[in-house]
Amino acid sequence: MSGADRIPDEIAMKAIDPKNYGDDSVHEAFRWLRANQPLGRAELEGVYPFWLVTKHADILEVSRQNDLFHSGDMPTTFTTVEGDQMVRNMTGGSPHLVRTLVQMDAPDHPKYRIMTQSWFLPQNIRKLEDRIRQIAREHVDRMAALGGECDFVNQVALHYPLHVIMEILGVPPQDEPRMLKLTQELFGAQDPELNRQRQEAMNNADAFAQIQAVIADFFMYFKAITDDRKASPREDVASVIANAKLDGQPINDFEAMSYYVIVATAGHDTTSSSTAGAVWGLCANPGEFAKVKADPSLIPGLIDESIRWITPVKHFMRSATADTELGGRKIAKGDWLWLAYPSGNRDEEVFEDPDAFRVDRKPNKHLAFGYGAHLCLGQHLAKMEMRILFEELLPRLESLEFAGEPRLSQGNFVSGPKSLPIRYRFR
Ligand code: HEM
């Protein structure tokens, strides 16, 4: 590593500080990095050094080479040295509190992924289309009943994907508020309005204790569902997980619980944020609203553009399993890398006018779902849910505008719109 590789500390801080995701100023740091140090090394106090990968091509390159860049050897999301050590002390050396697909590498990863992969393929989830449309209609009706003004995040977007994924997991509707709260506490640990303690700056010990408590709650809840589905399997993915086998043996409870947690949590916050992002983008760009209203064949374009524009998953980490070269830099075995998805999704070399929200952007090769072996398992479900909602909503919507200041949540892992006051007229 040469000194020239080092990113100025203030830029590195700007790119990773959860607060800067709350006011969108993080894009200034990413713009600077793409132009001046697209693959630079951050060396900040209290954290392991890491490479900040900000170019679309480099993120793809790392994601594609799953043998060379592992997900599970180091923490899969960013943490401090102190935070990492606390986790390792508690787990007896592992950097992970849960063991989900996200933390696995080959040979285990493909074996676990295959357990549910076919369930999430387009040809299978197509069977859910009618039921999802019914749920979408209920949410659009609810919006109509709100009388022309609502907070789209809190009254619509947070509930619709939650309802879909909970039905898929076999969680009854009366328990959805509990699942929503747990997910918000898990992903919202960095946002003072969303974390369990409702406090400004949580230290490592507090944040760690919160995450541990949330995971314990999740595990307790899903244990009952696992027992039920083992005794009487149904058509849902809960039954697939509960009865999954690895090399002929049932998977253990810890791994089954972890599987539920990843599907339960990855499956709605991200989709809610993207759904809210679509409405945000349409309010901010009345011309785009007019375009997609006039031509519903643009709805899939609206969906992809919203996911690109919001990019709800802000990063995942990888670590190098061997010395290698990337973007002209020498990466050493063991080096840690931060894949900056929001930056890749605004890379000027790939996207014309990248900050603009265009429903007819073509091509739109965003990497909000990642790439390679870990490519989002639920991407077809997420896109289908969003498409159906907008197919139901747009024909009924005559006007749409902001009714107040929209706000983003603070978080450098999973974050997005936190409140979106809108005014609208239904046909
Ligand atoms: C993985 C994004 C919706 C389940 C991922 C990854 C990203 C992502 C970036 C990591 C990819 C990588 O490391 O290369 C999103 C976005 C969504 C979304 C932006 C919505 C717009 C969903 C839904 C589900 C889901 C609805 C429901 C099942 C998963 C799972 C993984 C994953 C299980 C781990 C896959 C693996 O490691 O093999 N997602 N996701 N996601 N996602 Fe999603």
Side-chain angles (χ1 to χ4, degrees), residues 101 109 113 120 266-267 270 274 313 316 318 368-371 374 376 378:
L101 291 178
H109 177 260
R113 181 151 170 140
F120 285 102
T270 46
S274 307
V313 178
F316 267 116
R318 297 286 197 268
F369 291 116
Y371 191 66
H374 290 275
C376 177

Side-chain angles (χ1 to χ4, degrees), residues 55-75:
K55 291 289 284 179
H56 189 277
D58 292 338
I59 297 173
L60 285 187
E61 202 48 27
V62 173
S63 306
R64 191 177 62 78
Q65 302 185 69
N66 297 97
D67 290 337
L68 188 54
F69 296 103
H70 268 184
S71 295
D73 300 349
M74 295 272 287

Side-chain angles (χ1 to χ4, degrees), residues 75-97:
T76 43
T77 55
F78 184 73
T79 184
T80 58
V81 173
E82 192 194 347
D84 181 43
Q85 281 164 358
M86 276 184 197
V87 173
R88 287 179 197 261
N89 286 342
M90 135 114 215
T91 58
S94 162
H96 316 298
L97 286 174

Side-chain angles (χ1 to χ4, degrees), residues 281-341:
L282 293 175
C283 287
N285 300 276
E288 300 302 295
F289 176 56
K291 256 192 235 169
V292 69
K293 253 197 83 63
D295 180 2
S297 74
L298 290 173
I299 289 177
L302 163 70
I303 304 314
D304 264 320
E305 182 65 343
S306 311
I307 297 171
R308 180 192 75 87
W309 205 54
I310 289 291
T311 310
V313 178
K314 308 303 181 193
H315 83 275
F316 267 116
M317 307 296 293
R318 297 286 197 268
S319 60
T321 58
D323 291 352
T324 185
E325 248 194 65
L326 180 74
R329 300 280 195 271
K330 286 197 183 332
I331 310 284
K333 180 177 177 180
D335 277 2
W336 209 25
L337 299 95
W338 170 302
L339 305 182
Y341 301 121

